[in-house]
Amino acid sequence: MTKVKICGLMDQVTVDETVQAGADYLGFVFAKSKRNITPEKVRAITRNVPEKVKIVGVFVSPSLKELEAVIRIAKLDLVQIHGELFPEIVSRISIPVIQSFDGQSPELPSLLASSTADFYLLDAPITNETYAGGNGKTFDWQKISSESQKQLKKKPFFIAGGLTQANVTEAIQFFEPFAVDVSSSVETDGVKDVTKIKAFIKAVKEQ
């Protein structure tokens, strides 16, 4: 069954409701973002999260020192990294790594092949966006080359970028991913909406 990551969580009530709804991964943003949160707060609002639900920290081009400090304070299970990520850093990170890639990059096959991360994540390209990820924009799935599809089969991968309750079934059928990742479409007026979170997770788990 496809797993679900709900990203950009910021409060205790929503975390608890998201866990109850069946999410497998909870994402917390430590990069520049309207959803930015401190590692201390993440630790405080995830104390009741069961061990089977994994806590993911989202970063953009972080240093190893920054990563390890947040991992320690927030008690992260995985880190998700957008932007620059050098292989020599990946090997020194103390927990598994999800590396984000532009799903429409012409260099995607070689980028995937050279990645030493534990998981891939395909997201929409960053063009004029203020923040990396979480922008609610899709990318053209049909432009994923056969070579990229071969590379994707070599590691578990997440699909992100504009997923909604309406299109997530199609995304799962097209990619057969390990997990799907959502943020913007489960919000109302920029705030996480538990009703939308439950509906999205239900749509995924019914596959």
Side-chain angles (χ1 to χ4, degrees):
M1 180 181 289
T2 307
K3 296 185 181 298
V4 180
K5 175 171 168 279
I6 305 295
C7 202
L9 297 165
M10 298 186 70
D11 66 86
Q12 175 85 59
V13 172
T14 309
V15 166
D16 291 346
E17 292 273 10
T18 299
V19 170
Q20 287 296 317
D24 304 286
Y25 294 86
L26 309 178
F28 299 93
V29 182
F30 300 106
K32 179 183 177 182
S33 169
K34 59 188 176 183
R35 305 180 186 93
N36 180 268
I37 192 169
T38 66
E40 291 82 3
K41 185 172 181 182
V42 170
R43 181 58 184 148
I45 67 177
T46 58
R47 289 186 182 276
N48 298 328
V49 173
E51 191 173 336
K52 68 177 182 178
V53 179
K54 302 305 180 184
I55 299 169
V56 184
V58 181
F59 301 82
V60 174
S61 305
S63 68
L64 181 64
K65 183 178 179 180
E66 176 190 357
L67 283 172
E68 291 300 331
V70 177
I71 289 168
R72 177 177 52 81
I73 297 168
K75 305 295 183 186
L76 300 180
D77 296 304
L78 301 94
V79 291
Q80 174 181 318
I81 301 178
H82 298 249
E84 287 187 332
L85 178 61
F86 300 107
E88 58 269 25
I89 290 181
V90 175
S91 65
R92 297 169 64 190
I93 298 171
S94 59
I95 58 176
V97 176
I98 304 167
Q99 184 173 6
S100 176
F101 297 92
D102 172 356
Q104 291 187 180
S105 170
E107 300 173 356
L108 185 59
S110 61
L111 292 172
L112 292 172
S114 63
S115 172
T116 56
D118 302 279
F119 301 84
Y120 302 134
L121 182 146
L122 294 192
D123 205 346
I126 301 169
T127 52
N128 297 319
E129 307 300 335
T130 304
Y131 309 119
N135 294 302
K137 301 292 180 67
T138 57
F139 62 95
D140 189 345
W141 305 339
Q142 302 295 333
K143 289 185 177 179
I144 299 291
S145 68
S146 58
E147 185 57 37
S148 291
Q149 291 181 29
K150 287 179 184 177
Q151 288 295 333
L152 287 172
K153 293 183 185 303
K154 295 182 179 181
K155 292 182 182 179
F157 68 96
F158 292 67
I159 293 295
L163 295 181
T164 67
Q165 180 188 353
N167 69 11
V168 71
T169 297
E170 183 182 357
I172 291 170
Q173 292 172 347
F174 184 87
F175 287 104
E176 298 182 352
F178 169 74
V180 291
D181 186 345
V182 68
S183 183
S184 296
S185 78
V186 292
E187 294 178 342
T188 298
D189 298 327
V191 177
K192 286 292 179 289
D193 184 320
V194 171
T195 300
K196 290 181 178 180
I197 289 172
K198 289 179 178 178
F200 183 88
I201 293 173
K202 185 172 184 287
V204 174
K205 299 299 185 180
E206 286 179 344
Q207 299 305 305

